[in-house]
Amino acid sequence: FNTIQNNDQIEHIVQRLTETTSKKSFYIIENSNKSLVSIQNTKHGNNNELSEDLSEKYRLIATHTSDLIVFTTFDVNPILKFVSPSHKKLLGYDEKDLLGKPGLDFIHENDKERITAILLIYNDAKINGTITPDLLENAQKLDFRFRDKSGHFHFLQSTVDIINDELLFISKDITEQKQTEKALYQSEKKYRQLFENLNQGIWVLDDNAFTTYLNSFMAQLIGYTPDEMIGKCLYDFMDDIWKKIAKEK
């Protein structure tokens, strides 16, 4: 695996993997020749030495990890140089489908501009020799859509690190989470529309009596706009509200 060139690189990769996966002791990456190497966490093993004696246990970790690990060239449109086996399981791609291809070719059109903006920052820093320790140590975080082999898009949550002359992307598939959020939003929108059209007042308070929602009918009844009430404590308005209600009656 020719991307790993020295112990500093290994330590940096292990640190980032530790932050993004539940596999705390060993992390395994499969290269294009199908041979395996293991990267040992400094807390659990042998000063980050590369071990060539892998057990079936470590092979299973490499096979079943859900993290998507990618190394690319250090460019504005990075070329994929290494992809983990999880791309086959989650996205349907074999190595030959991805290696040597521009990464942005697989990104949703609406997400390319945001990713390119970060890559431009990295590229400019590289060209101008202004890559700072802060830029190296603090991974950029991205949410974007990546096309699978069947043409469907998956939502990925990714960190981007600079590793010498390459970029390291470690991603999780959060498609299910995004779909749940969308369903909740649509449900909330539907009921909000229902509440807005009711000829009854609805006023929602949190545990501390601060207003989180009131519909148009209630706002009209108490003589305040929703913007004037949202986030305000009920008790600050009680006297005035009761006066207005009594006057209406």
Side-chain angles (χ1 to χ4, degrees), residues 35-246:
S35 60
L36 294 174
V37 294
S38 99
I39 304 172
Q40 294 183 314
N41 190 323
T42 54
K43 294 181 180 179
H44 300 281
N46 304 332
N47 299 319
N48 293 327
E49 293 178 356
L50 292 177
S51 173
E52 297 179 356
D53 182 20
L54 292 175
S55 68
E56 182 63 17
K57 173 182 177 181
Y58 304 143
R59 288 180 180 273
L60 288 174
I61 293 174
T63 302
H64 293 94
T65 181
S66 60
D67 288 332
L68 298 165
I69 303 168
V70 174
F71 278 94
T72 74
T73 57
F74 200 145
D75 298 301
V76 176
N77 190 1
I79 303 299
L80 303 176
K81 297 181 64 177
F82 167 85
V83 294
S84 60
S86 49
H87 285 75
K88 174 67 174 178
K89 293 184 293 182
L90 295 177
L91 304 175
Y93 291 115
D94 293 312
E95 277 189 341
K96 59 182 174 57
D97 299 321
L98 297 172
L99 295 182
K101 306 289 179 60
L104 291 180
D105 287 0
F106 299 89
I107 305 298
H108 194 285
E109 287 294 330
N110 294 340
D111 298 332
K112 287 183 179 180
E113 183 177 352
R114 185 171 66 258
I115 295 175
T116 300
I118 290 177
L119 294 175
L120 282 170
I121 293 173
Y122 281 172
N123 200 58
D124 287 345
K126 177 185 177 184
I127 292 173
N128 297 321
T130 56
I131 296 179
T132 62
D134 183 66
L135 195 62
L136 290 172
E137 294 170 8
N138 297 303
Q140 291 285 341
K141 295 182 179 180
L142 286 170
D143 286 0
F144 56 89
R145 285 160 288 183
F146 194 96
R147 188 179 68 252
D148 66 18
K149 194 169 184 177
S150 68
H152 295 95
F153 282 96
H154 292 241
F155 283 92
L156 301 184
Q157 189 172 74
S158 180
T159 59
V160 188
D161 286 275
I162 299 172
I163 308 293
N164 293 335
D165 289 328
E166 296 177 320
L167 297 176
L168 167 64
F169 293 78
I170 300 179
S171 308
K172 292 183 179 296
D173 190 332
I174 58 169
T175 304
E176 185 176 346
Q177 175 186 329
K178 288 289 187 179
Q179 290 172 340
T180 300
E181 291 174 356
K182 182 178 180 180
L184 288 173
Y185 171 78
Q186 291 174 337
S187 177
E188 179 184 354
K189 183 178 179 181
K190 179 177 68 176
Y191 285 107
R192 186 178 292 272
Q193 290 173 339
L194 173 64
F195 294 157
E196 282 298 317
N197 292 308
L198 284 176
N199 290 322
Q200 294 178 327
I202 298 178
W203 191 342
V204 182
L205 305 170
D206 65 13
D207 293 340
N208 296 312
F210 284 85
T211 301
T212 60
Y213 172 77
L214 75 162
N215 67 354
S216 299
F217 189 92
M218 178 60 76
Q220 184 178 3
L221 180 65
I222 64 177
Y224 290 94
T225 66
D227 287 342
E228 290 175 319
M229 295 298 298
I230 299 297
K232 303 296 177 58
C233 184
L234 168 66
Y235 303 125
D236 295 338
F237 294 85
M238 281 301 300
D239 289 342
D240 192 32
I241 289 172
W242 283 120
K243 290 178 183 177
K244 289 183 178 181
I245 293 175

